[in-house]
Amino acid sequence: MAQKYKIEQGVKGRQDSLLGVYRRKGVSFASGKGARIWDTSGREYIDFVAGIAVNVLGHSNPKLVSAICNQASNLIHTSNLYEIENQSQLASRLSRHFPGRKMKVFFSNSGAEANEAALKFAVKSTGRGGFVSANNSFHGRTAMALSVTGQPKYWSGFEPLIYRNVEFFDYGSIESLKSHLNRDVAAVIMEPIQGEGGVIVPPKGFLREASAVVHDNGSLLIVDEVQTGMGRTGRMFAHQWEQGCTPDIVTVAKGLAGGVPIGATLVGEDVASAIHEGDHGSTFGGNPLATAAGLATMEVIESPGFLDRVISRGQYLFHSLSDSLRGNESVTEIRGKGLMVGIEMLGDSAKKFADYAFERNILVNVAHDSVVRLLPPLVVTEEEIDSLCATFRSFSSSAR
Ligand SMILES: Cc1ncc(COP(=O)(O)O)c(C=O)c1O
C-alpha cells in the first residue's frame, strides 16, 4: 500500500508539469505481453484498448521488439536527404495490397499528418480547393484535418484556423453525399467505419457507390484507414471488404508500426504524377526505426492465417457479446467489423461500464460518450474475450 501511494504521488507530481489536454486515469503501465498489461503496482489487466487501435500485435511481440532493437543498435535516424532502405521496402509492401495499381507512399508520423498530406496532394493534383467530409467523422487535430472533422466540438475555439471550403454530408447516405458535390470539390474524405464517432458502420454498398459518385464528379476519394487499417477488421484495409471501392488516396497510421509513431499517405499514379520534389516533407517521416517496426508489423499481419484469425475472433467476440448482453436494457446496439466493435448504451451506462471493467482489471474505451469501444490487440484470445463477456454479464446483473 505504501509503495502504491508513493507511485500515485509520483505520477501526480509529474503530471503537474504536463499541459492538461487529456483526462487520464490514475494508472501507469510498466509492461505487457499479448493482450495483457501490468501497471506499476503489478496489477494485471486485459487490454481491449490497445493504445486506441495501435498495438495490433499486442504488447512485446518478439518479432517487433527484435526488429526495433536491431535497427536501434545500428541506426535510429538518418534523414530523407538520403535513401532509406526500410522505407522503400515498407512502401512497396503497402503498395502490394492494391493489386493492379501502383500506389506511391509518403511517410509521416501520425494519422493527422497522413491526412494533412492527403488533403494537400488532392488540391495539388486536381487544381480544386473544396472538400466534402462526413458529419460525425474524425480525421485528426492539425488545422486541415480538423477542418474536415465533422464534429464541431473538436474545432470550436480554433475557428480562425479552420478552412471554410468544406461541406459535410450524412455518413452512409449517397443522396446526401451527391447533394454536396460540385466542380470545386477536390476530394471527399471518409472513414470506412467511423471510429471516434462511435463505431458507425455504413450500409452495405455505400463505399462502392460513394467511390463511383465521387469519381463521376471528377473528385478524388480519400479513405482514412488510420483506425480501421492494418488488419483491424480482418482485411488489411477495411474498404477492401467492398469490391469496387477504389480510393485515390488511402491514409494509414496507428497500427502500421505496432506502436512506433508513423503515418503513411498512399496515392494512386494520377495523384503521384502531380506531386514533385519539395511539395511536402517531414524530418522524421519514415525514418529507419519506424519503418523497421512497420516492416516487422506487416510481416506478422501478412503471415498465413493471421487475418483469418482476426475474422474468427471478431465473430467470436460479436456472438459472445450478443449472448452476454441479451436482456440488458441499457444496450441498444452492438456493431462493428472484425476486432473493431462498439456497444451503444443508454445514458451514462457506457462510462459506468468502463469504470466497472477497470475495477475488474479490464481496459475498455468509451467513444462518443455512449459507446463502449473495443479495439483489442489482433492477437486477443478467446479466453480473454470470455473474461470481458463475464464482466459484462456481472455488470448487467449488478444493474438489475
Ligand atoms: C480515423 C482517424 N483519422 C485520424 C486520426 C488522427 O490520428 P493521430 O492521433 O495519429 O493524429 C484518428 C485518431 O484517432 C482516427 O481515428
Side-chain angles (χ1 to χ4, degrees):
M1 196 63 197
Q3 195 200 354
K4 188 156 184 233
Y5 178 72
K6 219 167 109 197
I7 287 162
E8 279 168 2
Q9 287 292 302
V11 170
K12 186 156 182 2
R14 285 194 296 279
Q15 284 193 9
D16 285 346
S17 312
L18 290 171
L19 196 60
V21 292
Y22 301 110
R23 183 189 298 150
R24 299 177 198 261
K25 264 207 163 326
V27 63
S28 172
F29 294 105
S31 62
K33 188 88 206 142
R36 307 282 170 145
I37 187 164
W38 288 270
D39 72 13
T40 45
S41 70
R43 186 171 149 186
E44 180 180 304
Y45 303 75
I46 306 175
D47 184 2
F48 278 85
V49 178
I52 319 187
V54 168
N55 306 105
V56 283
L57 306 186
H59 301 284
S60 308
N61 175 281
K63 285 202 171 119
L64 177 59
V65 170
S66 109
I68 293 170
C69 292
N70 285 341
Q71 186 59 51
S73 66
N74 286 322
L75 261 182
I76 293 176
H77 178 81
T78 52
S79 163
N80 285 308
L81 292 171
Y82 310 105
E83 302 285 343
I84 299 174
E85 178 58 28
N86 291 345
Q87 194 182 114
S88 309
Q89 279 186 29
L90 186 59
S92 71
R93 201 146 193 163
L94 282 165
S95 183
R96 267 188 256 147
H97 288 274
F98 295 82
R101 300 184 65 189
K102 264 210 155 104
M103 302 298 272
K104 301 234 177 196
V105 185
F106 172 80
F107 286 105
S108 54
N109 314 286
S110 67
E113 279 179 72
N115 285 333
E116 201 80 15
L119 298 166
K120 277 180 75 176
F121 297 159
V123 167
K124 190 83 197 298
S125 68
T126 60
R128 300 180 180 186
F131 292 103
V132 172
S133 178
N135 285 315
N136 197 44
S137 59
F138 183 79
H139 297 291
R141 306 282 196 151
T142 55
M144 273 308 296
L146 272 184
S147 301
V148 294
T149 285
Q151 300 187 63
K153 69 175 182 190
Y154 288 107
W155 46 259
S156 69
F158 300 101
E159 279 86 346
L161 290 172
I162 298 305
Y163 186 67
R164 299 285 172 189
N165 199 351
V166 181
E167 291 192 20
F168 294 93
F169 72 97
D170 294 330
Y171 189 65
S173 163
I174 289 292
E175 286 317 306
S176 173
L177 171 60
K178 274 188 186 161
S179 72
H180 292 281
L181 291 176
N182 58 57
R183 295 286 152 200
D184 185 40
V185 175
V188 174
I189 181 167
M190 63 177 79
E191 298 153 88
I193 295 174
Q194 290 186 330
E196 298 307 297
V199 190
I200 308 294
V201 186
K204 212 166 182 216
F206 172 73
L207 295 174
R208 180 175 25 83
E209 270 187 80
S211 177
V213 163
V214 171
H215 290 143
D216 283 349
N217 191 58
S219 308
L220 304 179
L221 177 64
I222 302 173
V223 172
D224 178 344
E225 291 268 8
V226 167
Q227 189 163 144
T228 48
M230 307 320 294
R232 171 65 45 198
T233 67
R235 288 273 163 96
M236 187 58 86
F237 299 110
H239 74 270
Q240 292 172 334
W241 282 103
E242 215 149 278
Q243 251 191 1
C245 175
T246 51
D248 305 277
I249 305 183
V250 176
T251 55
V252 194
K254 289 189 185 279
L256 174 55
V260 178
I262 193 167
T265 307
L266 285 61
V267 307
E269 269 172 302
D270 286 352
V271 178
S273 65
I275 307 301
H276 305 294
E277 247 177 63
D279 279 347
H280 201 49
S282 164
T283 294
F284 289 116
N287 86 1
L289 185 73
T291 44
L295 283 169
T297 303
M298 283 200 78
E299 197 177 319
V300 177
I301 297 175
E302 288 170 347
S303 63
F306 188 93
L307 288 175
D308 290 340
R309 257 189 322 275
V310 173
I311 293 173
S312 59
R313 282 295 136 78
Q315 285 164 348
Y316 185 81
L317 173 61
F318 193 84
H319 291 129
S320 308
L321 283 171
S322 305
D323 285 347
S324 301
L325 291 169
R326 193 165 296 126
N328 182 326
E329 282 170 8
S330 66
V331 174
T332 56
E333 195 180 15
I334 307 172
R335 52 185 184 242
K337 196 155 195 78
L339 289 170
M340 177 172 188
V341 172
I343 300 137
E344 177 94 45
M345 298 181 86
L346 295 173
D348 60 357
S349 299
K351 286 180 181 159
K352 281 193 175 140
F353 175 73
D355 290 339
Y356 181 90
F358 182 79
E359 292 306 321
R360 286 152 187 81
N361 299 358
I362 292 187
L363 304 178
V364 300
N365 164 254
V366 174
H368 224 241
D369 290 337
S370 58
V371 180
V372 174
R373 178 174 48 169
L374 306 174
L375 299 163
L378 304 182
V379 296
V380 68
T381 63
E382 291 188 355
E383 186 205 345
E384 287 158 347
I385 291 172
D386 291 344
S387 299
L388 169 78
C389 291
T391 307
F392 257 122
R393 284 195 298 276
S394 68
F395 177 72
S396 302
S397 39
S398 74
R400 266 183 215 125

